[in-house]
Amino acid sequence: MIPYAKPLIGEEEKKRVLEVMDSGMIASGPVTAQFEKEFSAYLGAEYGIATSNGTTALHVALLAAGVQPGDKVLTTPFTFIASGNSILYCDAKPVFVDIDPNTFLIDPEKVKEALEKDPEIKALLIVHLYGLSCDMDRIMPLVEKHNLILIEDCAQSHGAEYKGKKTGSFGQAAAFSFYPTKNMTTGEGGMVVTSREDIAAKARQIINHGRSGRYFHDMLGYNYRMTDIAAAIGSVQLGKLDGFNAKRVANARYLSEKLQGLTWLQTPYVPEQCSHVYHQYTVKVEKRDAFAQWLQEKGIGNSIVYPIPIHQQPFYQEIVGKELVLPRAEEVAEQVISLPIHPALTLEQLEEMVTTIKSFAF
Ligand SMILES: *Cc1c(COP(=O)(O)O)cnc(C)c1O
């Protein structure tokens, strides 16, 4: 079986975790503070606020950037459920617009239309899905023109760039996840990144039960802190991130080259101005479900990311209405399948994948 995902934890991570265990300080402490500095510096941002996971990072990023109850937040339906849920946690209202069927990302044209139709939209939550940056040259002017709060969901885009600028450095705040399947991991973990001092201070307060002094609380907050055990893993993993990404890119290049000629399979599209970090290597296939089952039988891990766009999830249909149709997201959800791309893959495994895929009796 070729595993679909595989976290790579080395001796250095284990050693650093043991050091934390022996230090007597295992909750949020100096190692977390150090990891926050290293991670924000990697992105070229001023502040990092480590959190318990990527979902809490998103919740905090939205709140700290000023999303309030009742606010309309524009976003993509083609993403992990956490992107939508974090808007609901703020008692804000998600407004879903359709995607570009080639990049799978929110379509700036649809963003523009929605903003022109509804001047009440206050914020935009973009998702750099699969490791590919959104079209920032078309999104930023809209953000400025409509005075929007821009939040970036970077849970899949650690190190990805748009015209040489890292995702997570465009909006007022960004949220990262360090779940084990992501480009780097801390077990569970997340990070809010911002260059705005006021947003950083508010985020810090929110993850600490709203405290602004010792046992003094002037707002509702949560316990969303990261532990030093997780941060110790993250600090070592960050040092390996560029290497992990380079391996993902090399694996993707290999697959895309070998699978190029297949008429029934479409390899990932990468706009010239983007450097993709391939959190997922996602192809479009017509007979997707048959293909998925067949890969499974042949021992090749795979995943459908995502089979149901958020606006079609039963729970969301009550919120956005059953009549909302976003044809491209709905069509893409029936065509996509993600193949193993993680840095632990061997050349033999890549060769086996190509041979097997090519022999699919389409
Ligand atoms: C993984 C992920 C999240 C949530 O991160 P967790 O650490 O699992 O809470 C949010 N958005 C996207 C796009 C993700 O892929």
Side-chain angles (χ1 to χ4, degrees), residues 24 44 60 106 154 162 177 180 207 249 259 310:
V60 173
I106 197 164
C154 298
Y162 182 87
S177 163
I207 71 160
V249 170
L259 299 174
I310 296 188

Side-chain angles (χ1 to χ4, degrees), residues 226-253:
M226 178 180 276
T227 67
D228 270 17
I229 297 171
I233 303 170
S235 184
V236 180
Q237 288 268 304
L238 177 60
K240 298 177 175 178
L241 177 61
D242 287 343
F244 285 161
N245 283 344
K247 190 73 192 346
R248 285 177 183 269
V249 170
N251 292 346
R253 191 168 295 151

Side-chain angles (χ1 to χ4, degrees), residues 146-197:
H146 295 269
N147 203 15
L148 298 176
I149 296 171
L150 176 67
I151 305 296
E152 299 174 73
D153 181 340
C154 298
Q156 305 189 358
S157 70
H158 318 63
E161 291 176 356
Y162 182 87
K163 289 192 172 171
K165 186 168 154 65
K166 287 210 163 59
T167 58
S169 62
F170 289 91
Q172 277 93 325
F176 287 81
S177 163
F178 306 121
Y179 190 72
T181 56
K182 311 286 167 147
N183 295 43
M184 60 172 281
T185 187
T186 63
E188 292 272 11
M191 185 86 70
V192 178
V193 174
T194 181
S195 286
R196 283 256 307 263
E197 192 183 359

